Amino acid sequence: MSPTFEKAVEALETRIGYAFRDRSHAVRALTHRSAVPGDRVAHESYQRHEFLGDRVLALVIAEMLFRAHPKAEEGDLARRLNQLVRKETCAEVAVALDLGVAIRLGPGERQSGGRRKEAILADVAEAVIAAIYLDGGYEPARDFVERNWRPRMDGLSGPLRDAKTTLQEWAQGKGLPTPSYEAIDRSGPDHAPQFTVRVSIPNGPTGEGRGKSKREAEMAAATGVLVREGIWSADHG
């Protein structure tokens, strides 16, 4: 580990509130595949850590929701879980902890703004969870998730059903076909793209939405239709 990267890991430990006994776990969690020769990607990049961290995160969030909402039905718990483990939420945590500055990237990813890409940030957040889990066990991993995801769990607002699900159920209730989504525009640099998506319901309403990802744009398009049709109020979302 280079002195510069070692300092980055030390600073990261302070930000995340966990000191690694074996820093090789942290190194792996912060190493993007672009920084590793092709035949060593599986062993030296964060891919395997991201896989494990995703599962640890889901378990901890499920446990948190189970305790916090003793009267909630399975469906409600599942929808809350989906909002908390999705890519956008993981990336928000990564930004809050400034994980981007510590990521090891290849030259191409560095030049294209990889430290700010939502997908990479989300993956690294999950990989860091796995690194803590592998280094210290479940308890410190759970503590890390609770510190960083609990405020987001407590702050969940709006409908538990997401906009796309609600619009599909509304269309079915009206005897209309399933809504379809089409990306009609993409603008902005690679590290900060903007997508425009059109949602269409044959013999029904259409709408457009914009977002930093296709999913976000789809949600915005569906939300616009739901608000315009009077199914949701304007402050939902």
Side-chain angles (χ1 to χ4, degrees):
M1 183 170 18
S2 70
T4 300
F5 188 51
E6 187 170 5
K7 288 182 179 179
V9 173
E10 289 176 0
L12 176 69
E13 289 178 334
T14 299
R15 293 197 300 277
I16 68 175
Y18 181 80
F20 288 93
R21 294 175 292 185
D22 180 355
R23 282 188 174 164
S24 68
H25 295 301
V27 170
R28 180 81 62 84
L30 296 168
T31 300
H32 186 260
R33 63 177 300 149
S34 64
V36 181
D39 60 342
R40 290 162 28 203
V41 166
H43 302 289
E44 296 183 22
S45 76
Y46 64 58
Q47 288 183 326
R48 285 169 55 85
H49 275 51
E50 182 264 330
F51 168 82
L52 177 60
D54 175 67
R55 275 68 183 174
V56 176
L57 173 64
L59 174 59
V60 176
I61 295 295
E63 183 182 356
M64 289 166 57
L65 291 169
F66 187 83
R67 295 197 310 263
H69 302 281
K71 296 183 180 180
E73 296 181 354
E74 178 189 2
D76 290 344
L77 293 173
R79 284 185 285 273
R80 291 178 186 272
L81 174 69
N82 289 338
Q83 290 193 45
L84 290 165
V85 302
R86 66 194 182 113
K87 176 179 67 177
E88 292 85 352
T89 305
C90 292
E92 287 174 8
V93 172
V95 169
L97 294 173
D98 205 10
L99 298 186
V101 299
I103 303 173
R104 297 171 73 188
L105 297 166
E109 278 295 345
R110 284 200 302 271
Q111 293 172 7
S112 66
R115 299 186 194 282
R116 299 186 298 276
K117 289 182 179 178
E118 186 176 65
I120 292 177
L121 289 169
D123 287 349
V124 169
E126 293 177 336
V128 166
I129 293 170
I132 295 172
Y133 173 79
L134 291 168
D135 187 72
Y138 180 70
E139 292 301 324
R142 183 176 67 183
D143 290 345
F144 173 78
V145 171
E146 289 211 0
R147 284 197 308 274
N148 293 286
W149 270 263
R150 180 169 291 281
R152 291 164 172 80
M153 181 185 79
D154 294 340
L156 283 179
S157 60
L160 288 179
R161 277 181 171 80
D162 65 45
K164 290 180 64 177
T165 301
T166 303
L167 183 60
Q168 180 173 332
E169 292 176 349
W170 176 81
Q172 289 173 343
K174 293 283 187 179
L176 298 171
T178 299
S180 62
Y181 296 84
E182 177 188 7
I184 59 175
D185 187 47
R186 183 190 187 282
S187 60
D190 287 342
H191 67 270
Q194 282 287 324
F195 296 89
T196 302
V197 167
R198 177 182 295 125
V199 58
S200 304
I201 304 175
N203 302 316
T206 63
E208 293 183 6
R210 289 175 60 82
K212 294 179 291 184
S213 65
K214 288 183 180 179
R215 181 183 185 281
E216 186 175 297
E218 289 171 354
M219 290 294 182
T223 297
V225 173
L226 292 169
V227 171
R228 194 170 66 246
E229 295 296 317
I231 300 140
W232 280 3
S233 62
D235 59 352
H236 271 119

